[in-house]
Amino acid sequence: KIKSVLSGDTVVLLGRSSVPGTTKAPEVTFTFERVTAPRMASKANSNVDDPGAFSSREWLRNLCVGKTVTFETRKQGASAGDRVYGLLFMPDPTDNTKEWNLSVESVRRGFCTPKVLGGDKADDDTNGDSGSGDAVEDYEQLLHIAYKEAVAARVGVHSANPLVRKLMNAGDEFEAMSLVEKVKRICTNGTAICVI
């Protein structure tokens, strides 16, 4: 199951406990192989999202948190706490007989980009049905085709104005009740719902 989504290309997988009820279920940080999502705001990048980062994470979060997925590990860190890289699959929301490769679907919707953009080999076979037999090469070809579709459709990070958030730290002088009062004045019916 997917416990949480850290960014548009990284999730936290929750495994099954070896002894239900007595031991904590294992958690693994799982990152899509060979794709990268825009970086979320953090102190390292001055609290500003890369264009499209929030939309990328939210799409993935809304799609798969709490759902059971299958995965294929391609690369794993040296120690148990390290990140795992690979492919993540879930049933197609519109047709449960098919499976989605979430990396490819993220690229197709413009929420991620392939780390390596190959040549135009994908043009030889635009439908992606016949593969080379090499799993890595076939996967890269699917990413390349999905990337071309996203750029052509101008979706996600390829759109004219992808969403960019700037986060501000409240600091010590922040007073929650003054914010609530300001929001109440702005709201038409005088009620405000705040989630902090």
Side-chain angles (χ1 to χ4, degrees):
K1 267 189 173 179
I2 294 186
K3 177 183 178 185
S4 63
V5 175
L6 304 179
S7 68
D9 63 357
T10 303
V11 300
V12 176
L13 296 176
L14 186 62
R16 290 191 181 112
S17 176
S18 57
V19 182
T22 59
T23 59
K24 185 178 174 189
E27 291 182 10
V28 174
T29 302
F30 191 93
T31 299
F32 298 159
E33 184 186 41
R34 297 179 188 264
V35 299
T36 185
R39 287 185 57 189
M40 296 294 296
S42 68
K43 288 181 183 177
N45 59 359
S46 303
N47 288 331
V48 178
D49 280 342
D50 284 352
F54 182 75
S55 304
S56 176
R57 183 189 66 187
E58 288 304 293
W59 174 78
L60 190 58
R61 187 181 67 78
N62 289 326
L63 180 69
C64 61
V65 166
K67 303 232 174 85
T68 301
V69 295
T70 56
F71 61 92
E72 181 181 315
T73 301
R74 296 278 181 100
K75 186 171 103 175
Q76 190 166 356
S79 65
D82 287 346
R83 180 176 305 253
V84 175
Y85 296 87
L87 307 178
L88 199 59
F89 302 94
M90 71 176 288
D92 182 334
T94 59
D95 182 1
N96 281 342
T97 62
K98 297 179 183 175
E99 247 189 354
W100 264 7
N101 178 328
L102 287 175
S103 304
V104 174
E105 292 304 319
S106 293
V107 171
R108 181 171 286 117
R109 285 162 175 72
F111 295 125
C112 291
T113 55
K115 286 185 179 177
V116 177
L117 291 173
D120 288 334
K121 280 176 42 178
D123 289 341
D124 300 338
D125 180 18
T126 54
N127 63 10
D129 288 341
S130 64
S132 67
D134 178 17
V136 172
E137 200 172 294
D138 291 347
Y139 173 59
E140 286 179 352
Q141 183 176 359
L142 288 173
L143 288 176
H144 185 71
I145 292 168
Y147 177 74
K148 284 181 145 185
E149 289 175 14
V151 170
R154 301 187 54 78
V155 292
V157 296
H158 312 293
S159 67
N161 295 312
L163 175 67
V164 177
R165 296 178 317 150
K166 182 174 184 344
L167 303 182
M168 298 175 61
N169 291 327
D172 293 334
E173 65 278 353
F174 178 72
E175 294 186 24
M177 290 313 295
S178 66
L179 175 64
V180 171
E181 292 305 317
K182 285 180 186 177
V183 170
K184 278 184 182 178
R185 284 188 297 238
I186 295 170
C187 292
T188 55
N189 60 2
T191 60
I193 298 173
C194 294
V195 179
I196 298 177

